[in-house]
Amino acid sequence: MEQTTNAARHEAGAAPEFTEPLHVGRPNLGDRDRFRQRIEGALDRQWLTDGPLVLEFEEALAQVAGTTYCVAMCNATAGIQVAARAGGLVAGDEVLVPGFTWVATAHALDWIGIVPVFCDVDEASGTIDPEHAERLVGPRTRGILGVHVFGHPCEIDRLAELAARHDLVVLYDAAHGIGCTYRGLPIGGFGAAEVFSFHANKYVNSFEGGAIVTNDAAVAHRARAMRNFGITPDRKVAFPGTNAKLTEGAAAMGLTSLESMMDFAAANRDNHGRYRAGLAGVPGISVRRQAADEVANHQYLIIEVDAPVAGIHRDRLHELLTWNNVLSRPYFHPACHQLLPYADRPERYAPLPLPRSEALADRVLALPTGTAVTPEDIDRVAGLIRRLVPNAS
Ligand code: T4K
C-alpha cells in the first residue's frame, strides 16, 4: 500500500516530496513598490498610527463591503469585542456561536465576560444552524455571532428572522468573508455589524488588522470611539474603551493588498480548480466548495477526508503530508467547544455533543493555496495525496 510505502520511505530516511516547506497561509503581498511608497509617505508625515492611510483603508473597505461605515481595528479579535460592545452587549449576556470555528470567535466574547453558547452547524456550509440556535435561546440570550466560515455566508435571512423573534443583536465574524457575497450582496452589510480579519495569512492582509463594517451610524460612532479609549471626535471620554487602533504601517500593507484583491481571487480560483481536477476520483477525498451562485474568494483550500472510504484518517494524512514538507493545517480541529477552556465547563458553554461540528472538525484539512503556490506545486501535492490514500487506484 502507498501509505506503507511512504511511511517506510520516511523510516528509511528517503527524501520528502518537497525540499522546502510549502505553507498554508503564505501572505498575498501585492505591489511592493506601492507599499514602500506608502511607508515613505508615513515616515515623511511623521504620522504613524490612526492617520490618513487608515482613513484611506477604511474608505476602500467600506466600498468593497458596500457599507456606509468602516472602522479599522488592530485585529479581528479586538474588532469582535468592540462590535459586541458597540452593538449593546454587556458582560453576563449569552451569545450564540457556532461550534465549528477558529477559537477567536468564542475567546473574543469570553474575554469581555459575554458567554459564548455553542450551537451546531450545517455540515455542508459549516455555518451556524439557525434551527439549533433557536432551540438554545434562553432568558439571558442577547445575541448571535455567526461566522462565514471559509467565506461561506451564514443563512443570514433565517438568522435575521430568528433575531427579530427573540430581540437579539446579530453580529458576523467575517474574518474569512471579504470579497464574498450573500444573495449577490457583499458580505459586510449584514446584521448590526460584521468584522473582517486582515491577519498575515488572510486573503487581504495588513500584517495584523481587522475592520468593523456597518450601516448603523450609532454602532459606527460607538465603535470608533471605543477603539480609541472611548474618546469621541470632540475629545470627550464618552464610553468605556480600549486601544484597538490600526497603525499606518498596517494600513499601508492593507491598502496594497486590497488593491490586488482581484488578482488574488483569480489565483485562488485557479488553484481551487486545479486541486479539484488533481484530486478528482480519489476515494474519500473531496474539496469543499463555497456557496453555489455566490462570489467566492476561495481563501482556504479545504479537503475533507472520509476515513473509511479513503482508508486513511485525516490526522495520518496530515502527518504524512507534513513529513513531505506540505504543511497542511487541520482548520478547525478540535471543534471550538471541545477546546480546553470550553470543554471543561459544558454546563456553561454548550449542550454537548454537537455532532455535526465535531464530525466536520474530524475531517477537514487545509492545503496550501494563494499567490505563493504554483500550479506545479498543486499538481505535486495532488499527486502526493493520490499516492498516500491507500484506497486510490
Ligand atoms: N474569526 C475567525 C473565523 C478566524 O479564523 C480568525 C483568525 C479570527 C476570528 C481572528 O482574527 P485575528 O484576530 O487574527 O485578526 C491563524 C491566525 O493567527 C488567525 O488570524 C486565523 N484566524 C487562523 C485561521 O489562523 P495559526 O496559529 O494557524 O497561524 P500561524 O501564525 O501559525 O500561521 C499559519 C501559517 O501561515 C504558517 O504556517 C505560515 C503562514 N504564515 C503565517 C504568518 C503569520 C506566513 O507565511 N507568514 C506569516 O507572517 O492562526
Side-chain angles (χ1 to χ4, degrees):
M1 243 187 286
E2 285 298 335
Q3 185 187 351
T4 321
T5 310
N6 198 293
R9 284 171 61 209
H10 183 177
E11 276 147 32
E17 174 72 28
F18 288 85
T19 46
E20 295 296 322
L22 196 60
H23 290 275
V24 165
R26 269 286 186 248
N28 293 318
L29 295 176
D31 184 334
R32 288 173 186 229
D33 287 336
R34 288 290 293 135
F35 171 69
R36 289 192 191 102
Q37 283 163 11
R38 289 185 164 115
I39 292 290
E40 287 293 340
L43 297 179
D44 291 346
R45 282 188 295 276
Q46 300 192 52
W47 203 276
L48 303 185
T49 188
D50 199 14
L53 290 173
V54 169
L55 275 179
E56 194 185 334
F57 189 37
E58 289 177 339
E59 278 163 21
L61 288 168
Q63 207 162 13
V64 170
T67 56
T68 317
Y69 307 100
C70 172
V71 183
M73 307 293 298
C74 60
N75 57 55
T77 305
I80 293 168
Q81 294 177 330
V82 169
R85 282 274 186 266
L89 299 171
V90 296
D93 287 350
E94 290 185 359
V95 170
L96 303 165
V97 299
F100 183 73
T101 182
W102 178 248
V103 69
T105 311
H107 275 359
L109 299 176
D110 198 62
W111 196 250
I112 57 172
I114 295 172
V115 182
V117 174
F118 294 101
C119 310
D120 218 345
V121 297
D122 168 69
E123 251 179 283
S125 71
T127 63
I128 194 165
D129 171 6
E131 206 176 295
H132 191 230
E134 186 146 27
R135 274 191 269 134
L136 298 182
V137 172
R140 288 213 295 260
T141 311
R142 297 281 178 271
I144 306 171
L145 176 58
V147 181
H148 307 304
V149 73
F150 307 137
H152 199 301
C154 292
E155 291 198 52
I156 289 172
D157 287 348
R158 289 183 64 196
L159 291 174
E161 286 163 22
L162 188 171
R165 275 196 296 279
H166 300 280
D167 194 20
L168 307 178
V169 175
V170 183
L171 299 170
Y172 287 105
D173 174 339
H176 310 164
I178 193 164
C180 301
T181 60
Y182 171 74
R183 303 213 162 156
L185 295 171
I187 291 293
F190 298 103
E194 303 208 43
V195 182
F196 294 136
S197 170
F198 306 119
H199 175 261
N201 68 13
K202 291 293 184 295
Y203 178 49
V204 170
N205 92 88
S206 62
F207 298 151
E208 292 270 3
I212 299 173
V213 279
T214 179
N215 288 313
D216 185 321
V219 168
H221 171 70
R222 287 194 291 268
R224 189 167 289 283
M226 286 172 172
R227 169 186 79 168
N228 184 28
F229 312 106
I231 302 172
T232 49
D234 56 0
R235 296 300 300 170
K236 292 206 172 74
V237 179
F239 307 101
T242 184
N243 179 2
K245 298 188 294 293
L246 191 72
T247 67
E248 290 287 278
M253 186 69 225
L255 277 164
T256 307
S257 181
L258 193 64
E259 266 166 9
S260 295
M261 189 172 84
M262 295 329 280
D263 297 338
F264 305 157
N268 284 354
R269 198 174 43 242
D270 290 352
N271 291 351
H272 192 86
R274 203 162 186 108
Y275 269 115
R276 292 189 79 81
L279 293 170
V282 181
I285 304 291
S286 53
V287 179
R288 278 182 77 84
R289 285 181 191 274
Q290 287 184 232
D293 304 328
E294 301 289 357
V295 178
N297 60 19
H298 298 298
Q299 169 170 186
Y300 291 92
L301 193 297
I302 305 289
I303 58 167
E304 286 187 56
V305 184
D306 182 339
V309 178
I312 186 169
H313 188 269
R314 186 275 317 278
D315 291 346
R316 179 66 177 150
L317 184 61
H318 173 46
E319 190 184 5
L320 291 172
L321 285 170
T322 304
W323 183 80
N324 279 286
N325 264 329
V326 178
L327 306 188
S328 53
R329 310 276 289 202
Y331 286 147
F332 297 109
H333 178 267
C336 199
H337 62 281
Q338 295 179 307
L339 294 163
L340 205 56
Y342 304 108
D344 256 10
R345 296 189 58 194
E347 76 289 353
R348 180 170 165 88
Y349 295 110
L352 299 178
L354 300 178
R356 284 167 278 140
S357 300
E358 290 161 29
L360 250 186
D362 202 45
R363 292 200 306 263
V364 282
L365 192 60
L367 299 179
T369 186
T371 51
V373 176
T374 67
E376 295 70 36
D377 291 335
I378 293 172
D379 292 346
R380 285 174 68 190
V381 174
L384 177 62
I385 291 174
R386 207 171 265 282
R387 295 202 303 281
L388 293 174
V389 167
N391 293 348
S393 50

